[in-house]
Amino acid sequence: MSAACDAALSALQRYLDAFNAEDLDGIISHLDENVETFCNSEKASTGRDVILPSYSADFVIHKRVKVIRPAEAKMDGDGNVRVYVGLSTQTHSLDVTYVYRIDDMKQIRHEINNVKEIV
């Protein structure tokens, strides 16, 4: 695995740790200001400031995430690192791809798929 892939996997762990610690400043440090979010291949939002309220709402209910499918990192054709991971919260499971820009390891894209309610 490349050094960039290793760095992205480490960055993802720090991001998840920040989420579970309800550390909004830590979350902000991982997100590019123009981060794009996609849900089931549909663009949902563009911009860090647009998605930050969703983190605050998650923190109010003390949402936590845990890894249920180990993260895998691969270089993409644009020179970025794509990290694929299966996550769960208290109520849902989901597959997420985080795309990291290599030069600063900022998340530039979130692709959220296969959201399923846990019953």
Side-chain angles (χ1 to χ4, degrees):
M1 184 178 307
S2 73
C5 289
D6 286 340
L9 290 171
S10 293
L12 173 65
Q13 187 58 58
R14 289 190 305 276
Y15 168 77
L16 296 176
D17 289 345
F19 184 94
N20 286 333
E22 299 180 7
D23 178 3
L24 193 57
D25 289 332
I27 294 290
I28 291 168
S29 74
H30 288 275
L31 302 175
D32 180 76
E33 67 182 55
N34 296 309
V35 63
E36 297 177 314
T37 303
F38 289 77
C39 293
N40 297 319
S41 302
E42 300 274 331
K43 188 180 246 184
S45 65
T46 300
R48 180 178 58 213
D49 293 341
V50 173
I51 65 172
L52 285 179
S54 69
Y55 290 98
S56 296
D58 289 342
F59 297 164
V60 166
I61 61 169
H62 305 293
K63 185 181 283 185
R64 298 292 182 262
V65 294
K66 68 178 179 176
V67 174
I68 58 172
R69 185 177 41 79
E72 297 177 30
K74 296 182 182 177
M75 297 297 299
D76 71 12
D78 296 324
N80 301 307
V81 179
R82 298 177 68 82
V83 179
Y84 310 91
V85 64
L87 300 173
S88 71
T89 67
Q90 294 94 316
T91 58
H92 292 85
S93 65
L94 57 152
D95 295 327
V96 184
T97 301
Y98 296 97
V99 182
Y100 286 86
R101 186 174 46 231
I102 289 178
D103 63 346
D104 61 3
M105 280 300 143
K106 296 279 188 182
Q107 294 175 6
I108 58 173
R109 185 175 171 127
H110 295 175
E111 299 171 1
I112 302 165
N113 293 291
N114 301 319
V115 178
K116 297 178 182 155
E117 188 172 0
I118 297 172
V119 288

